[in-house]
C-alpha cells in the first residue's frame, strides 16, 4: 500500500534511514538461533557443523554426539535428507524519535555432510509502534497467497503493508540484548525483559492496555502472559479484583492458569473472593487440589444420588446374570484385575475414567463381561470380554483411551481367559 498519512510517510522515511544489519549481527544471531546437528549413517557420524566425520563401534543409533574436531555438542537428527535446512527469526529492537521499532530478520541455516554449515539472512519486517500503541509495518513480499512465513521474496524491497495481526505476531528465537527503548515504554513498566511474549505484542499491549501495564509494573509476569492470550481478565471482573488484592498483598501469582482455576473453585464454594486469606494461598497447588477433590466428591455424590434408583433396579438382574464370575481376580506384579460385581461399581468406573461403561448400560449386556484393572490399587482401565467367543473386546482407560499399562493388562487377561471359560461351563 502507498503511504497516505503524515505518519506513514514518516515511517517510510525512517525505515530508509535505518542502518543496514551487519554480517557480524547475523553471525551472532546464527550461533544463538539454531541447534547443532550431526547425522548418522551406519557406523559413521557426520558433524553437520564443521564437516568432520568419524566412525563409531556399531550401527546402534545414538542421539547425542560430541564432535572431536569442532568440539560442539551435537543432536543426531533423523530428518536429514540429502541436506538439512532450518529457518528461524531474530529481532533487533531500536527506536527513532517516538517510534518503537522491531526489526525482524529471517535466517536460514544450511547443512550438508562433509561441509561446514552456512546461513542466509535477510531483514523481512519492521514493525513501527507509535506512542499510542498503533502499529505500522514495513515488510517484504511473500510468494503468492502463501500463509507460510518463510516464503519471503528475497529480492523484494521492504514496503508499507496493512497490519495483519497473524503475520506480524511472530515470536523470534533470539532478541539482541542491546536495545533502544522509547521513554514512554519505560514509564509504563518495561524494564528489558519480554517474559516470553513477542516484543511487538508486549510493546503494543503496555501502551494500550491498563491491565497489562499494571501487571507488568507489579511483577505479575505469569498473569501478564496469561492476560495477553486470554480475554477473561476484564477490569470489572472477579479475577481482576482478586489480582488487585494480590498486588496489594505483594503476592506473586506464579502459575496463572492454576490460580484462575482455583478462583473458579473458590467461587463455586462461595468463599470470599475479597479476602487475602483465600485469594493469596501460601501453597497454591495444595489449596487448588484440596478444593478440586472436594468438588469431585460433590459431583460424585450428586451423580450417585441421581442414579440410585437405576442402580437398585438393575443390581438384582446383574447379580443373577453374572454371579458365576464373581470373585474372579487375576493379579501379577502391581496389576490386579477383578470382575465388576455391582452396578454401583459401573458408575464409579465410568466416573473415574470418564467413559460410558455406566451410561451405556454395559451391565445389561448379556454376552459380555466387564472387569476393572487397577495398578497399585488405582483404577487404570475397564475391560470388556465377549462371553460368546472369549475374546477381549476392548480395554480402555481415561477418556476411552488406552492407558500406559494397556499391553500388560491385556496380556494378563489373555493368560487368564481360561478361568472365565471354566466358570461359564460350570454354570451351564
Ligand atoms: Zn564438528
Amino acid at each position: 500500500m502507498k503511504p497516505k498519512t503524515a505518519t506513514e510517510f514518516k515511517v517510510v522515511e525512517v525505515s530508509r534511514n535505518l542502518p543496514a544489519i551487519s554480517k557480524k549481527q547475523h553471525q551472532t544471531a546464527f550461533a544463538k538461533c539454531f541447534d547443532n546437528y550431526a547425522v548418522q549413517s551406519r557406523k559413521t557420524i557426520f558433524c553437520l557443523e564443521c564437516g568432520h566425520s568419524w566412525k563409531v563401534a556399531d550401527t546402534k543409533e545414538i542421539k547425542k554426539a560430541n564432535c572431536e574436531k569442532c568440539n560442539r555438542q551435537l543432536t543426531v537428527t533423523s530428518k536429514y535428507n540429502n541436506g538439512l535446512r532450518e529457518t528461524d527469526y531474530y529481532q533487533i529492537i531500536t527506536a527513532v524519535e517516538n517510534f518503537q521499532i522491531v526489526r525482524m530478520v529471517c535466517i536460514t541455516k544450511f547443512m550438508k555432510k562433509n561441509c561446514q554449515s552456512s546461513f542466509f539472512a535477510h531483514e523481512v519486517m519492521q514493525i513501527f509502534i507509535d506512542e499510542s500503541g498503533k502499529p505500522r509495518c514495513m515488510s517484504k513480499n511473500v510468494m503468492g497467497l502463501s500463509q507460510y512465513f518463510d516464503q519471503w521474496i528475497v529480492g523484494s524491497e521492504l514496503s508499507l503493508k496493512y497490519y495483519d495481526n497473524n503475520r506480524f505476531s511472530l515470536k523470534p528465537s533470539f532478541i539482541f540484548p542491546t536495545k533502544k527503548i522509547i521513554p514512554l515504554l519505560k514509564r509504563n513498566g518495561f524494564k528489558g525483559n519480554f517474559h516470553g511474549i513477542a516484543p511487538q505484542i508486549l510493546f503494543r499491549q503496555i501502551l494500550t492496555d491498563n491491565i497489562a501495564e499494571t501487571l507488568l509494573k507489579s511483577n505479575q509476569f505469569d498473569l501478564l502472559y496469561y492476560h495477553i492470550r486470554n480475554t477473561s481478565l476484564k477490569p470489572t471482573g472477579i479475577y481482576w479484583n482478586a489480582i488487585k488484592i494480590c498486588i496489594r498483598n505483594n503476592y506473586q501469582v506464579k502459575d496463572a492458569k492454576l490460580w484462575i482455576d482455583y478462583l473458579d473453585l473458590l467461587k463455586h464454594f462461595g468463599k470470599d473472593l475479597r479476602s487475602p486469606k483465600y485469594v493469596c494461598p501460601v501453597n497454591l497447588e495444595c489449596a487448588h487440589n484440596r478444593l478440586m477433590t472436594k468438588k469431585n466428591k460433590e459431583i460424585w455424590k450428586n451423580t450417585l444420588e441421581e442414579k440410585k434408583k437405576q442402580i437398585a433396579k438393575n443390581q438384582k438382574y446383574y447379580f443373577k446374570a453374572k454371579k458365576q464370575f464373581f470373585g474372579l481376580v487375576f493379579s501379577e506384579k502391581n496389576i490386579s484385575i477383578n470382575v465388576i460385581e455391582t452396578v454401583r461399581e459401573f458408575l464409579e468406573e465410568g466416573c473415574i475414567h470418564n467413559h460410558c461403561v455406566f451410561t451405556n448400560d454395559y451391565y445389561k449386556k448379556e454376552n459380555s463381561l466387564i472387569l476393572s484393572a487397577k495398578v497399585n490399587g488405582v483404577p487404570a482401565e475397564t475391560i470388556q470380554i465377549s462371553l460368546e467367543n472369549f475374546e477381549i473386546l476392548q480395554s480402555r482407560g481415561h477418556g476411552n483411551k488406552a492407558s500406559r499399562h494397556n499391553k500388560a493388562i491385556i496380556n494378563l487377561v489373555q493368560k487368564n481367559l481360561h478361568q472365565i471359560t471354566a466358570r461359564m461351563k460350570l454354570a451351564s
Side-chain angles (χ1 to χ4, degrees), residues 176-281:
F176 262 88
T178 335
K179 310 181 264 285
K180 218 168 146 187
I181 303 291
I182 56 169
L184 187 60
L185 276 170
K186 290 184 190 166
R187 218 180 312 147
N188 284 8
F190 182 72
K191 291 198 184 92
N193 195 325
F194 295 99
H195 308 288
I197 302 159
Q200 64 275 29
I201 293 176
L202 183 69
F203 289 152
R204 288 186 60 196
Q205 205 83 25
I206 54 179
L207 289 171
T208 55
D209 170 6
N210 288 334
I211 289 189
E213 189 188 333
T214 309
L215 291 175
L216 182 65
K217 281 181 172 165
S218 56
N219 300 334
Q220 298 285 1
F221 307 127
D222 204 56
L223 279 170
L224 174 67
Y225 187 90
Y226 176 91
H227 169 56
I228 288 179
R229 274 166 183 70
N230 294 273
T231 48
S232 50
L233 302 185
K234 302 258 165 37
T236 48
I238 59 154
Y239 301 135
W240 185 236
N241 283 329
I243 288 169
K244 284 193 284 192
I245 293 165
C246 291
I247 294 172
R248 270 204 297 280
N249 286 278
N250 251 330
Y251 178 86
Q252 195 189 21
V253 176
K254 298 232 170 70
D255 184 338
K257 257 199 220 125
L258 190 70
W259 185 76
I260 297 273
D261 238 16
Y262 168 69
L263 283 197
D264 289 339
L265 287 164
L266 286 176
K267 196 174 143 217
H268 173 83
F269 288 110
K271 302 290 184 206
D272 183 4
L273 290 175
R274 289 162 306 175
S275 153
K277 185 181 127 194
Y278 291 117
V279 172
C280 313

Side-chain angles (χ1 to χ4, degrees), residues 44-313:
T44 311
I45 309 289
F46 295 87
C47 171
L48 296 177
E49 302 304 319
C50 72
H52 179 63
S53 63
W54 66 94
K55 295 274 180 203
V56 283
D58 52 46
T59 55
K60 204 181 123 210
E61 281 177 26
I62 55 168
K63 288 204 171 96
K64 296 260 171 210
N66 214 346
C67 176
E68 50 195 47
K69 194 175 167 205
C70 69
N71 225 348
R72 286 188 177 94
Q73 295 269 4
L74 308 168
T75 304
V76 182
T77 173
S78 55
K79 283 186 250 159
Y80 188 88
N81 180 16
N82 205 14
L84 181 67
R85 72 154 66 181
E86 272 193 353
T87 292
D88 221 320
Y89 290 85
Y90 80 84
Q91 285 183 349
I92 294 171
I93 312 274
T94 188
V96 173
E97 294 171 33
N98 290 331
F99 287 119
Q100 184 59 56
I101 304 167
V102 175
R103 303 179 74 176
M104 182 86 91
V105 180
C106 178
I107 183 164
T108 302
K109 178 179 184 180
F110 302 96
M111 291 154 279
K112 209 167 169 60
K113 283 180 188 169
N114 303 312
C115 295
Q116 208 160 7
S117 64
S118 60
F119 69 85
F120 172 74
H122 61 144
E123 184 172 23
V124 294
M125 263 189 235
Q126 291 165 348
I127 297 158
F128 285 68
I129 298 161
D130 68 16
E131 286 193 315
S132 72
K134 190 173 172 192
R136 275 120 186 145
C137 189
M138 302 284 292
S139 106
K140 283 196 173 178
N141 297 331
V142 283
M143 309 224 197
L145 292 168
S146 173
Q147 289 297 304
Y148 296 103
F149 294 112
D150 11 334
Q151 305 271 332
W152 302 100
I153 298 174
V154 174
S156 64
E157 296 272 315
L158 291 170
S159 63
L160 197 66
K161 297 283 190 306
Y162 286 103
Y163 197 86
D164 167 354
N165 253 329
N166 275 335
R167 172 144 292 172
F168 299 130
S169 51
L170 215 63
K171 202 167 125 188
S173 285
F174 172 67
I175 301 161
F176 262 88
T178 335
K179 310 181 264 285
K180 218 168 146 187
I181 303 291
I182 56 169
L184 187 60
L185 276 170
K186 290 184 190 166
R187 218 180 312 147
N188 284 8
F190 182 72
K191 291 198 184 92
N193 195 325
F194 295 99
H195 308 288
I197 302 159
Q200 64 275 29
I201 293 176
L202 183 69
F203 289 152
R204 288 186 60 196
Q205 205 83 25
I206 54 179
L207 289 171
T208 55
D209 170 6
N210 288 334
I211 289 189
E213 189 188 333
T214 309
L215 291 175
L216 182 65
K217 281 181 172 165
S218 56
N219 300 334
Q220 298 285 1
F221 307 127
D222 204 56
L223 279 170
L224 174 67
Y225 187 90
Y226 176 91
H227 169 56
I228 288 179
R229 274 166 183 70
N230 294 273
T231 48
S232 50
L233 302 185
K234 302 258 165 37
T236 48
I238 59 154
Y239 301 135
W240 185 236
N241 283 329
I243 288 169
K244 284 193 284 192
I245 293 165
C246 291
I247 294 172
R248 270 204 297 280
N249 286 278
N250 251 330
Y251 178 86
Q252 195 189 21
V253 176
K254 298 232 170 70
D255 184 338
K257 257 199 220 125
L258 190 70
W259 185 76
I260 297 273
D261 238 16
Y262 168 69
L263 283 197
D264 289 339
L265 287 164
L266 286 176
K267 196 174 143 217
H268 173 83
F269 288 110
K271 302 290 184 206
D272 183 4
L273 290 175
R274 289 162 306 175
S275 153
K277 185 181 127 194
Y278 291 117
V279 172
C280 313
V282 181
N283 186 333
L284 171 62
E285 210 181 323
C286 245
H288 170 271
N289 290 352
R290 202 169 49 235
L291 289 186
M292 198 178 61
T293 312
K294 194 171 160 189
K295 192 171 173 195
N296 282 343
K297 270 188 194 149
E298 195 182 88
I299 292 172
W300 165 243
K301 218 180 117 195
N302 289 342
T303 321
L304 190 62
E305 213 48 55
E306 215 178 281
K307 306 288 180 195
K308 251 182 185 160
K309 263 194 191 154
Q310 195 181 344
I311 291 172
K313 201 178 93 196

